[in-house]
Each structure stands twice: as C-alpha cells, then as structure tokens.
Amino acid sequence: MTVLLLGSGGREDALAMGLRQSPSCDKLIAAPGNPGIARWATCVALDPTDAEKVVALAREHNAGLVVVGPEAPLVAGVADACAEAGIPVFGPGAAAAILEGSKGFTKDLCLAESIPTARYVRTDDTDFALASLSEFGLPVVIKADGLAAGKGVTIAETAEEAEEAVRAAGGGPLVIEEFLRGEEASLFALVHGEEAVVLASAQDHKRVGEGDSGPNTGGMGAYSPAPVLTGELEQRAMAEIVIPTARAMARAGTPFVGVLYAGLMLTSDGPKLIEYNVRFGDPECEAIIPRLEGDLVQLLLCVAEGRMGDVRPQLSDTHSMTVIVAAEGYPGTPKRGGPIDGIEAAERVPGVTVFHCGTARHASGALLGAGGRVLAVTALGPSLAEARARAYQAVDAIDYPHGFHRRDIGWRELERSE
C-alpha cells in the first residue's frame, strides 16, 4: 500500500517512521515533510491545507490511506475532501475538528453532556471578560478560542497578568476557566463514531523552564506511559469524558474519526478535561510511536474504515522519554539558522531516535535549525530512569549552539519511583 502523510514536524517524523516500518507500507509519500521525514518517505512540496492538491497527490500515487498529522489541515476540511474522493483518511472532518478548533465549543459540549471539566465563561467582549475575572479567583486560566499551536493559554497568577491576557486578545473570543489543581496527563484514544479504544498515555511538559516554570510552549518533552494515569483513572476518563464526547459528536451528525487526545487534570474528584486535540500530540507522539508494535498502517486504516472490532493497539512494555531541543528565544522569537551536528552520534545510544521538528537543509547539505522546537530526542528503556539516562546521553552528543533544553523531563514520576 502507498500511504500519504501530511505534515512537517516532529510528530510527523515519528509517524513516518512507524508507517514506513509497517509491513503494509510499500511506499510512503510525505507532504511537505522535512529532512528527518526524508529518511522514511519521498517528500513533496505541497501545502497540506490545500484539499484539492492533497486529493490530487493521493490519486496520483494511488494512496490507500491518507494520514493527517497536524490540526490545520483537519480544520481546513482536508479529511472531508479525501473521504468525498473515496480515499480512506485517518483524521476527523472539519465539523468534528472543531473540538480543537474552538475551545468554547468543547466547553459547551462538556456542559451539555455533563462531562467533568473546569468551570468557565466564554466571550468576545473585553469588558465582560474583565468583569468575569473576579468570579474565578487566582490563579485563573485564559485561553484564546482557536488554534494556537499549544501556546494560546495564560495561567495568570496575579490580577494584572489576567487583565493583560484579556486585553491582549483584542476583543477576540476567549475562554476563562477556573484553575484546576492536580497533575496533568494525556490520554490518546482511537475513535470512529461512537466507538473508542485506548491507545496510550503520556505526560507532557508545557512550561519552557525547569521545575515547570516560565511561559507555556508547544511542549518541551514527554514520557510514556504515564503511571499517574492508573488503569482505574483511565477507565473513568474513557467512560466519563471520551466516550460521551464521541457519542455526542455522532449524535450531532459530525462523527469523529481518528485519534482524540484528551488533556486531563487528575484532580481529587477524578479526571477532568482540560482540552481536546484532534490529532497526535507533539511531543507525545514522538514518545508513543516507538512503543507501538504491530502494523501501524493497518491499525490506522481500521479506524479510518470503521472496523473498530479489529483495532487492538499493541504497546511494548518499555518506557520512553522525549526531550525537546529548542532554539534560543522559544517560545517567543526563535533564533533560526544555527548548524546542527552530532545526530548520528546521538542515535548510536541504544534505543535512541532523533526526530526532526524544525530543521532545514542548506544548499551545502548542512543541517540547520529552522523553527522554535528543533529536535525531539527519544529514548526507549526498560524503566523510565533508564530511558531518561539514554535520552540525555543522546542530547549531550548533539552539537547545536543555538539550542537549549530542559534537564528535568519526567521529574515528578522519577521522584515517585525513587
């Protein structure tokens, strides 16, 4: 089978590896891809949000499956166009992708379906938003109601920070939420219509600084599995959050197809939904895919075609850790263009793969940093401690003067296991 993968980040590099290693995959095409994805796929320069061109490329190569990596093509309706053309596609249509495209929509759905989540208001009126802040106390969470690449969230510790975040939205739609106390975890479920199957758990590290300090980012590292999300809590999250969401979307005539990523807060009252993503997380994907066993192409194809009875994800009993190497200035304005060396040495560490998040090739062939998050260094190990040791050994082998990374990925779980 020929598979077409859309996207150009670290998530797509991990998916490309998993897809290309699948026995069912004879050929992998990636649009637009990146230097890392080029290891696994033939890269084609194409805008993945251009539905007409995506369908034409899939037809040109007689693709038996289209896998949509990032959220923007989903919100743009690329999956709808593929489905209408009769091409199996892993990823929701635009009407279902609103679960990520509008945080306000998801909050309203939670209210209507009694899905546990934080108390909230949604508004596009600055004065009303400012007046509402007093209802929530401090800290308070302010979210831009739209796609924000994981960075449209402010956790305001002071009234001044909260007011600044509201005014910075310039009258755009906002969701203001109570601050939930607990520990975050990510649950990934494979969904088609009303049916959902657990894929994996992970824990991301959103803050840019060690000790979970500083502004939110798209993610500075992750590990999988997340033991804090116990089997009991996982079952509760599926029964109380994921399955009611899937059923509500199907009932509304906008069934979800693909991977539904539930960002959870594990509170004293049980799991509560923070927000949904309608695709694999980044960097969680880089931590999960290396743990998957079996044929990834067939797994995603079964979901795409609604054969959920055949969806049986197989995960190794290994632990994985992903450390993001980002460019100076991230999550603000990153410093671009610095040379990167040492990836081959890093990948000589047992169990290590270095995924490319934001890299480019110079005409000379040199590898350069070309984004905010540049590399995702992933290591497998028999324990989280061993995965961590391997990941940081590999990070230390990479020569990227413009880069920085956190040294404490997995710190909470590692402290618990000591």
Side-chain angles (χ1 to χ4, degrees):
M1 181 189 300
T2 295
V3 178
L4 171 59
L5 171 65
L6 303 183
S8 60
R11 165 185 47 230
E12 289 76 37
D13 195 0
L15 286 169
M17 182 188 75
L19 293 167
R20 191 64 190 92
Q21 291 176 348
S22 298
S24 299
C25 184
D26 297 316
K27 183 178 182 182
L28 181 62
I29 308 293
N34 69 28
I37 295 171
R39 294 173 291 180
W40 324 107
T42 299
C43 295
V44 177
L46 181 145
D47 179 359
T49 66
D50 189 323
E52 186 176 335
K53 289 183 179 178
V54 169
V55 169
L57 181 64
R59 283 177 166 163
E60 176 187 346
H61 292 277
N62 194 28
L65 176 66
V66 175
V67 177
V68 186
E71 61 273 23
L74 297 169
V75 173
V78 168
D80 300 282
C82 291
E84 288 167 10
I87 304 166
V89 56
F90 182 83
I98 196 172
L99 286 169
E100 179 170 357
S102 171
K103 295 177 177 65
F105 172 90
T106 296
K107 296 298 287 190
D108 288 350
L109 182 146
C110 288
L111 182 63
E113 300 295 325
S114 300
I115 293 170
T117 189
R119 185 168 54 88
Y120 75 103
V121 297
R122 61 182 301 203
T123 182
D124 58 4
D125 183 303
T126 299
D127 290 336
F128 180 79
L130 290 171
S132 299
L133 290 173
S134 61
E135 299 177 20
F136 292 92
L138 292 170
V140 61
V141 181
I142 296 136
K143 298 179 178 179
D145 187 9
L147 296 180
K151 292 178 284 186
V153 178
T154 298
I155 301 174
E157 302 283 350
T158 67
E160 292 75 19
E161 287 177 353
E163 291 179 11
E164 181 181 348
V166 168
R167 295 188 189 282
L174 287 174
V175 173
I176 301 173
E177 293 183 353
E178 67 170 322
F179 178 77
L180 294 177
R181 299 192 182 277
E183 189 166 345
E184 289 189 43
S186 304
L187 177 63
F188 294 82
L190 299 174
V191 180
H192 187 111
E194 295 188 357
E195 298 181 88
V197 176
V198 172
L199 174 63
S201 67
Q203 189 171 76
D204 187 14
H205 296 64
K206 285 291 186 190
R207 298 296 190 101
V208 71
E210 295 185 7
D212 295 326
S213 60
N216 273 350
T217 71
M220 293 300 295
Y223 64 90
S224 179
V228 70
L229 188 59
T230 62
E232 179 185 354
L233 289 175
E234 192 174 86
Q235 288 178 3
R236 282 190 63 180
M238 289 295 289
E240 299 173 14
I241 297 173
V242 174
I243 291 174
T245 299
R247 289 174 176 169
M249 296 301 288
R251 192 167 61 244
T254 55
F256 189 93
V257 177
V259 61
L260 188 58
Y261 160 12
L264 305 174
M265 183 66 76
L266 306 180
T267 74
S268 57
D269 297 324
K272 294 187 178 183
L273 180 70
I274 301 172
E275 63 184 21
Y276 279 127
N277 290 331
V278 298
R279 35 68 188 184
F280 284 101
D282 190 342
E284 296 96 333
C285 187
E286 291 95 303
I288 291 170
I289 292 297
R291 296 185 57 228
L292 276 174
E293 298 178 334
D295 193 317
L296 179 60
V297 170
Q298 286 301 316
L299 182 68
L300 303 189
L301 184 63
C302 285
V303 175
E305 295 181 339
R307 294 182 281 119
M308 294 298 289
D310 295 329
V311 174
R312 298 181 180 89
Q314 301 173 49
L315 292 168
S316 69
D317 58 5
T318 57
H319 295 254
S320 65
M321 180 174 288
T322 297
V323 178
I324 292 293
V325 179
E328 291 177 3
Y330 180 77
T333 303
K335 189 172 184 178
R336 294 172 179 260
I340 303 169
D341 290 304
I343 288 179
E344 290 184 1
E347 293 192 321
R348 284 196 288 270
V349 177
V352 167
T353 306
V354 179
F355 298 111
H356 293 232
C357 307
T359 66
R361 287 284 180 197
H362 188 268
S364 66
L367 186 68
L368 305 176
R373 293 183 295 173
V374 177
L375 300 171
V377 181
T378 297
L380 294 173
S383 66
L384 184 61
E386 181 61 27
R388 178 191 184 280
R390 293 175 179 181
Y392 282 110
Q393 183 183 347
V395 167
D396 291 341
I398 294 171
D399 182 13
Y400 176 43
H402 292 341
F404 75 96
H405 59 277
R406 283 180 56 169
R407 299 294 299 190
D408 64 344
I409 302 303
W411 66 273
R412 284 191 184 87
E413 187 57 39
L414 289 164
E415 283 185 357
R416 278 192 289 264
S417 61
E418 287 179 354

